[in-house]
Amino acid sequence: MSMDQHPNKQKNIPISVLDLSPVVEGSTVADALRNTLDLAQHVEKWGYNRYWLAEHHNMSGIASSATSVVIGHVAAGTSTIRVGSGGIMLPNHSPLVIAEHFGTLESLFPGRIDLGLGRAPGTDQLTAQALRRGRMSDGQDFPDLLDELRAYLAVPSDEHPLPVRAVPGEGLEVPIWLLGSSGFSAQLAAQLGLPFSFASHFSPNNTLGALQMYRRYFQASDVLDKPYAMLGVNVIAADTDKEAERLATSLQQQFLNLIRNKPGKLKAPVDNMDEIWSEFEKATLQQQLGSSIIGGPETVKRKLEEFIAETNADELMINAQIYDHKARLRSYEIVSEVMNSK
């Protein structure tokens, strides 16, 4: 089945939020978590569909490492928006523990919890070893871990009772999404008939291939009767193109520091990135951040429409790494306004 058999006809697709709980220079983790809840409360009012938090470790600029805990905090401080993980890196954890965590969250906030799962460690090798306590995984066992997790969350069978049960968790069937930046999870999500979320915000060159694979090989399931693809995209919006381009230099510096293996807190915007990066680094970043949408309202509206038309996305998950919290709020407000305008 080709991608052009899934036209969206520029319909108003849902928009959601991916939050890394950025710790900006000169601030603390406590500040970042306060800002996360404040952003969640604002985007709920602006009509966003989901609010997902990401698991990363050993990174001083990201405050969402204890992802399940932050999800509970955000869900408690909001009332209607879905809250979930984008994602939990399943090879870092016991599937039983994740079933219990998300079973607890679903019991506390019924009908509002999503469990997005990834297979990367979300960190460096040494930290991966510290997380996994010697049980090193290269992600190839992800399908087996996923099967185990889904069994814990399934409705129990009288004929085949599990010797180990997730309480809470059993029978709650928390919605599971597979996350990916390549074809592996796209193929697995297709085989299992699960919704798929692709990381276009840092892997733009793999987007169309992964989506094509997901849609072509999708098999209907009890969860979904047709493919459902949500795409992560960096959107830095401001009242003018010039201001948005300046705000986006914080995101560019963040990725530049990752390339240089010097991750740190989110830096303030600068006037001229050419004073910071080399030509090679600039070209590398343009590859990684190629799908980023940066600009004022008219520019953002046009580029979002083009992105949706090209990908036939069913939903967008907006990431905005912006230094100033008020500017970050304004960026999400602008995206809401342009996506909901006719």
Side-chain angles (χ1 to χ4, degrees), residues 290-305:
S291 68
S292 298
I293 293 171
I294 301 162
E298 289 183 9
T299 301
V300 166
K301 182 176 176 64
R302 185 186 78 251
K303 289 185 174 180
L304 280 171
E305 287 175 350

Side-chain angles (χ1 to χ4, degrees), residues 246-254 266-269 321 323:
R246 187 173 187 278
L247 292 176
T249 62
S250 295
L251 172 68
Q252 291 161 350
Q253 289 178 85
Q254 182 185 44
L266 190 66
K267 293 181 178 293
Q321 293 292 87
Y323 178 83

Side-chain angles (χ1 to χ4, degrees), residues 261-335:
N261 200 27
K262 295 179 180 176
K265 293 185 177 183
L266 190 66
K267 293 181 178 293
V270 296
D271 293 324
N272 186 3
M273 283 297 295
D274 288 334
E275 296 176 355
I276 300 174
W277 56 23
S278 68
E279 284 300 313
F280 175 77
E281 288 171 334
K282 181 179 180 179
T284 303
L285 278 176
Q286 285 173 340
Q287 286 282 315
Q288 272 202 299
L289 300 176
S291 68
S292 298
I293 293 171
I294 301 162
E298 289 183 9
T299 301
V300 166
K301 182 176 176 64
R302 185 186 78 251
K303 289 185 174 180
L304 280 171
E305 287 175 350
E306 290 169 357
F307 184 75
I308 293 166
E310 183 183 17
T311 61
N312 292 319
D314 296 294
E315 187 168 343
L316 296 183
M317 179 151 276
I318 310 299
N319 180 44
Q321 293 292 87
I322 295 173
Y323 178 83
D324 179 74
H325 182 60
K326 287 184 179 177
R328 193 171 188 231
L329 290 175
R330 178 64 184 139
S331 180
Y332 279 104
E333 185 179 27
I334 288 170
V335 172

Side-chain angles (χ1 to χ4, degrees), residues 157-168:
S157 164
D158 291 335
E159 291 181 22
H160 304 287
L162 291 178
V164 178
R165 299 163 61 191
V167 182

Side-chain angles (χ1 to χ4, degrees), residues 92-150:
N92 291 346
H93 307 279
S94 150
L96 175 61
V97 170
I98 296 304
E100 290 170 343
H101 282 189
F102 278 78
T104 301
L105 289 166
E106 176 65 24
S107 299
L108 289 168
F109 311 104
R112 293 182 56 209
I113 301 299
D114 294 326
L115 176 49
L117 297 169
R119 68 186 185 100
T123 188
D124 57 90
Q125 279 193 316
L126 277 176
T127 310
Q129 288 177 11
L131 283 165
R132 297 167 186 176
R133 316 273 304 185
R135 191 196 139 267
M136 284 300 291
S137 163
D138 60 2
Q140 293 302 311
D141 57 350
F142 179 75
D144 294 333
L145 296 174
L146 176 62
D147 284 347
E148 184 182 346
L149 173 61
R150 294 183 78 195

